[in-house]
Amino acid sequence: MKSVKVIIQEQLQNIYMIARLSGYELKKTYAGNLLGSLWIILNPLLQVGIYWIVFGLGVRGGQDVNGTPFFVWLICGLIPWFFMSAAILQGSNSIYARINTVSKMNFPLSVVPTYVIVAQLYTHLILTVVMVIIVVAVQGIHTINIISLIYYIVSAFCFLLTLSFVTSTLSTMVRDIHLLIQTATRMLFYITPILWIPSDNMPELLRDIFAINPFYYLVEGYRISLLEGHWNGILSGYSLVFWLFIIILLFFGSVIHVKFRKQFVDYL
C-alpha cells in the first residue's frame, strides 16, 4: 500500500512536468518528417484502408456487420487498438530508452511511463475525433453515446498506464521481456476480435474467456459507444473484472517499481 501511495503522489506532484514532457514527446516523434504531425492521421488511415480492402472487400465481400458498414465497424475497433498497441510497446520501453537522460534530472522515474502514455493519448484523442466524424457521416449521430465513449477512453488510459508500470520495470531489468511483449502484442491483435466477430456457435466457455480479455472489453466498449449507444458494457459484470485487473496491476507495478528503480542504471 505504501508503494501505491508513493507512485500516486509522484504523479500528482509532477502533473505540470508530465504535461510538458508528453508534449515534447509527441513533437519529437514527427519532427523529422516533411508532413510532420499530419502522419498522426495519415498513418492509421492508411492501415485501416489496407485492412478494409483485405478483410472487408476481400474476405467478407463487402458485407455489413449487423447492419453497420464494415469500414465503420472496422475503424471503431482499429483506432482504439492503435492506441493500445502503441502505448504497450512505448510504455514497456519507456524507462530503458531514457534512463541515462532522466537519471540526471530531478523528477521520479515513475513519471516516465506516464508522460509516454499521455503522449500516445494525445494522438488517440485526435484519431477519436476523426473516428466520430466518420461514424456521424455514415451512421448519423443517434448511435453515439459520448459519455460512454469518454468512460472507455479513461478506462483504456488507466489500464495502459498501470500496465506500463509493470512492463517498463520488468523490461528494464530483463530485456527479453520487451521482446516477449512485442510478440504478445502481435498475437493479441488476432486473438482480440478486432477483425472478426465471435460466433454464436462458439462454446460458451470460450466466449467468456474472450469477454474477460481487457483488450476485448475496451474494443467492444468503443464499438458499443459509437455504433449502439447503450450502457450495457459499462453496467456489466465484466466492468468489475476489468477494474479489479487495473487495481492488481497498480499494486504489483508500484511495488516492483519502487523496489527496483534505484538499481535500473545497473541493468544497462
Side-chain angles (χ1 to χ4, degrees), residues 228-253:
E228 300 178 28
H230 57 68
W231 305 87
N232 294 358
I234 299 177
L235 301 177
S236 70
Y238 295 118
S239 292
L240 295 176
V241 175
F242 177 79
W243 285 101
L244 178 61
F245 192 56
I246 286 180
I247 292 172
I248 293 172
L249 287 174
L250 176 61
F251 271 85
F252 180 61

Side-chain angles (χ1 to χ4, degrees), residues 94-160:
S94 57
I95 293 179
Y96 181 85
R98 298 164 180 82
I99 187 68
N100 285 327
T101 302
V102 300
S103 61
K104 302 172 185 177
M105 298 181 180
N106 189 26
F107 63 86
L109 285 174
S110 67
V111 169
V112 179
T114 306
Y115 81 71
V116 170
I117 302 299
V118 171
Q120 295 298 326
L121 178 63
Y122 292 156
T123 301
H124 178 60
L125 292 176
I126 295 172
L127 290 174
T128 299
V129 172
V130 175
M131 178 172 60
V132 170
I133 292 173
I134 292 173
V135 173
V136 170
V138 178
Q139 297 280 96
I141 199 171
H142 64 281
T143 63
I144 298 179
N145 187 330
I146 292 297
I147 297 177
S148 177
L149 179 61
I150 292 173
Y151 163 80
Y152 283 107
I153 292 173
V154 172
S155 299
F157 174 76
C158 292
F159 168 68
L160 294 167

Side-chain angles (χ1 to χ4, degrees), residues 8 23 25 32 40 53 66 73 99 155 199 204 240 257 259:
I8 293 176
E25 184 76 12
I40 293 176
I53 292 172
N66 298 323
W73 182 86
I99 187 68
S155 299
S199 172
E204 186 175 351
L240 295 176
H257 179 87
K259 181 177 181 179

